[in-house]
Amino acid sequence: MENRILEIFMESFPNILLPGLTVTIPLTAVSFIFALIIATVTALVQFADIRILKQIARFYIWVIRGTPLLVQLFVVFYGLPNVGILIDPLPAAVLVFSINEGAYCAETIRAALESVPKGQMEAGLCVGMSWLQTVRRIILPQALRTAFPTLSNSLIAMVKDTSLAANITVTEMFMTTQRIVARTYEPLILYIEVGLIYLIFCTVLTKLQSVGEKRLGYYGRKVR
Amino acid sequence: MLSVKGLCKSFEGTEVLKGIDINVDKGDVIAVLGPSGSGKTTLLRCMNFLEEADSGSMVFDGKEYSFANVSKKEIGELRKKTGFVFQNYNLFANKTALQNVTEGLMIARKIPKAEAERIGRQALLKVGMSDRCDYYPSQLSGGQQQRVAIARAMASEPEIIYFDEPTSALDPELTGEVLAVMKSLADEGMTMIVVTHEMEFAKNVSNKVIFMENGVVVESGSSRDIFESPKEERTREFLRMTDF
């Protein structure tokens, strides 16, 4: 009995890890990069106080934060074909994760932008730079450093959220595990196993976060 | 060189500046004195468009600008000809001392990096900060930060530098080093408007004084006249209270 469980564990480990490396991680990485782009633009539009764009930004954040990620996945993958829009599982997942995470990260970046002292912008203007130049060179770099720990949080959350993509037939780690469970009928050990692999991924990210924070250096201020 | 006419500004219904007229000649070092809340800082900020004035106009280099409808482009042009030194320095926190100076040269004026760095090092040398080029603002004392800020303001060779209470955030020991830099700048013939509480500076370095209270210019004239024979009772009282 014990032997059988150990055997299943050892045998399934590479089979679960592989889609983790080839699907879960790329899906997270690509989605998060798109999310950061969406978030930065959404935050800047609000920071710049461009009236109509700001309203669009607030509407976007309101809708996305107010509806479940799973529902968003279903609307895009199972719903949109009704109006003739068919998207493959993986692109659909990237699309939904990017848009979803973008809304949350937009708030993080907006708060960070607003935390940069007003004098930084005034000084930029007074040395002759334009608003946009000052944002790009002075405000945004400082804001992104402030936002870094919170954005790391979002990234770690996203690694785990990608398991929801199993619901729209993306064969990532969790779906692979489900299939092995169906075959071997050992749900306890296998679900713990996939949980462990998620934990390993997130541990690596946590380490990367602290390395990143040290690297960023906080402009001469010591970071423990 | 520069004159302001009828500058008015109110914040939410409270009139802060009630028709200010000033005249600046090339090489003038003008001290703006007055009690707190008299509108000195607001005046300076309006002149560099950090605050939007309600009415009035400004002539700079023979060109007239209306405060109420000045274009972004005109504001940009004007700011490139001026320097501004803030009370709390406002050095770019993510840039070293040298980068603080070169940023405006490279980005706003498109001066090549090597040339900008040469100018930057020279400016830092002038304010006695050449050994701190690669330090971040957080690694510098207040007086050092303000000296870097002055280097930043003068590096682009502006026609005028505005100083907004440049020593108010510093303890007396550090105030001296900043005032010394300002004095050497004045000696070189830089045109400066200095909002300050440093009476010694107003008396001995500046050649003109503007005394403000409640949003109006109470009295203005040469430093000697203001300090030795002030005409207005309010000016006399202010000088008495500050022991001058």
Side-chain angles (χ1 to χ4, degrees), chain B residues 186-204:
Chain B
D187 291 343
E188 284 174 26
M190 175 60 77
T191 311
M192 299 156 62
I193 301 182
V194 186
V195 169
T196 186
H197 295 293
E198 292 294 329
M199 303 302 281
E200 201 72 54
F201 180 89
K203 191 177 181 186
N204 300 323

Side-chain angles (χ1 to χ4, degrees), chain B residues 148-166:
Chain B
V148 172
I150 293 173
R152 177 173 73 177
M154 70 190 211
S156 59
E157 296 181 346
E159 294 181 39
I160 185 168
I161 301 181
Y162 304 117
F163 292 81
D164 180 17
E165 304 200 22

